[in-house]
Amino acid sequence: MEKSVKSKRQKSKFLQFILAKDEIITSKFVPFMLKFEPLKAIQVHSKALELSCDGIVWLTIWTAFIWLASKKSLYQMQINLLFGLILDIIITALIKAAVRRRRPSVTKNVLSTIGPDKFSFPSGHASRSVFITAFFIIVHPIYPIFWPPLMVWCFCVCISRLLTKRHFILDSICGSLLGLMEVFIISLLYISEEYAIAMINSLSRDHIPGGGGIE
């Protein structure tokens, strides 16, 4: 019984080869990147970047934003992004639990190292930052003037995961692709404005004593 369980957990030789090459390339690529001052600056601000794209932080702040903003014109965007954030956390956690790839090194003072987050593949920060960026550029476009800073933030989040040795290159690449896939899914299942308003009004009536919905 134990042997069968172990054999199921063993990775294929091809996958082991790919992961081994990824570790070697990452170990050489990170020191090379740190020769450049702009990238060193990203490493210095890695904690702020990590916090800026933390899943729990985003869920908490975004839920509070939905509750406090109270504008029907925003409900559709708010609900769809919220569902995308939840989808990202679920998919990333399931893949991490299935693959169970260890991180490059144990980093002190990280935001979370329990449960699936102690595993490396794929990068949840990469998938989340790409999803958020693509959402506001493709799904619900904001003013183009905000696109460059949004893309810079996304790049800095993804690259900081390598510079702080929280992830391997393949983790960040696959995380980024996962973020794009999530944007595609949300665009296909995009919740209508009418349904989004109904959802929020329903929640407000259920949780506010005497509430009659958010106007």
Side-chain angles (χ1 to χ4, degrees), residues 170-202:
L170 194 59
D171 302 337
S172 290
I173 292 176
C174 291
S176 300
L177 294 176
L178 177 60
L180 292 175
M181 184 191 76
E182 291 164 353
V183 166
F184 178 70
I185 293 173
I186 292 299
S187 65
L188 289 178
L189 305 177
Y190 203 64
I191 298 171
S192 67
E193 183 177 13
E194 181 181 358
Y195 191 56
I197 293 173
M199 288 177 63
I200 294 182
N201 282 335
S202 176

Side-chain angles (χ1 to χ4, degrees), residues 109-156:
N109 301 320
V110 293
L111 294 177
S112 176
T113 54
I114 60 175
D117 195 60
K118 66 185 177 182
F119 299 119
S120 178
F121 182 92
S123 168
H125 280 72
S127 65
R128 196 170 305 113
S129 62
V130 169
F131 167 74
I132 294 169
T133 300
F135 181 89
F136 285 118
I137 293 177
I138 300 172
V139 181
H140 186 87
I142 56 177
Y143 290 113
I145 192 174
F146 295 113
W147 293 6
L150 193 58
M151 289 187 286
V152 169
W153 168 75
C154 178
F155 170 80
C156 289

Side-chain angles (χ1 to χ4, degrees), residues 4 19 27 30 40 85 87 94:
S4 62
L19 296 181
S27 65
V30 171
K40 283 185 180 181
L85 293 172
L87 178 68
L94 289 176

Side-chain angles (χ1 to χ4, degrees), residues 2-211:
E2 291 182 358
K3 289 183 178 179
S4 62
V5 172
K6 289 181 179 179
S7 62
K8 289 181 180 179
R9 290 183 178 179
Q10 285 182 349
K11 300 180 178 69
S12 66
K13 290 185 178 180
F14 176 73
L15 182 56
Q16 289 178 4
F17 173 79
I18 294 297
L19 296 181
K21 288 294 182 182
D22 183 35
E23 293 176 12
I24 294 172
I25 294 173
T26 302
S27 65
K28 294 180 179 179
F29 186 59
V30 171
F32 172 75
M33 289 192 297
L34 290 175
K35 293 180 180 179
F36 301 94
E37 290 300 326
L39 295 179
K40 283 185 180 181
I42 293 177
Q43 186 185 42
V44 170
H45 298 289
S46 60
K47 290 303 298 179
L49 290 167
E50 181 180 20
L51 183 62
S52 73
C53 201
D54 181 73
I56 301 302
V57 171
W58 263 92
L59 280 180
T60 303
I61 293 178
W62 199 253
T63 303
F65 174 52
I66 295 173
W67 191 263
L68 297 173
S70 300
K71 288 187 178 181
K72 288 185 177 180
S73 60
L74 297 176
Y75 287 171
Q76 186 179 25
M77 176 272 292
Q78 291 171 327
I79 288 295
N80 279 283
L81 183 65
L82 179 63
F83 280 166
L85 293 172
I86 295 172
L87 178 68
D88 173 72
I89 291 175
I90 293 174
I91 294 178
T92 302
L94 289 176
I95 296 176
K96 283 186 175 183
V99 178
R100 303 175 70 85
R101 186 186 194 186
R102 293 291 176 179
R103 293 187 183 275
S105 64
V106 179
T107 307
K108 296 180 180 180
N109 301 320
V110 293
L111 294 177
S112 176
T113 54
I114 60 175
D117 195 60
K118 66 185 177 182
F119 299 119
S120 178
F121 182 92
S123 168
H125 280 72
S127 65
R128 196 170 305 113
S129 62
V130 169
F131 167 74
I132 294 169
T133 300
F135 181 89
F136 285 118
I137 293 177
I138 300 172
V139 181
H140 186 87
I142 56 177
Y143 290 113
I145 192 174
F146 295 113
W147 293 6
L150 193 58
M151 289 187 286
V152 169
W153 168 75
C154 178
F155 170 80
C156 289
V157 169
C158 293
I159 206 71
S160 70
R161 308 307 288 169
L162 301 177
L163 300 178
T164 54
K165 298 182 179 179
R166 291 291 287 154
H167 289 283
F168 298 101
I169 292 175
L170 194 59
D171 302 337
S172 290
I173 292 176
C174 291
S176 300
L177 294 176
L178 177 60
L180 292 175
M181 184 191 76
E182 291 164 353
V183 166
F184 178 70
I185 293 173
I186 292 299
S187 65
L188 289 178
L189 305 177
Y190 203 64
I191 298 171
S192 67
E193 183 177 13
E194 181 181 358
Y195 191 56
I197 293 173
M199 288 177 63
I200 294 182
N201 282 335
S202 176
L203 289 173
S204 68
R205 286 194 296 270
D206 291 341
H207 296 286
I208 298 179

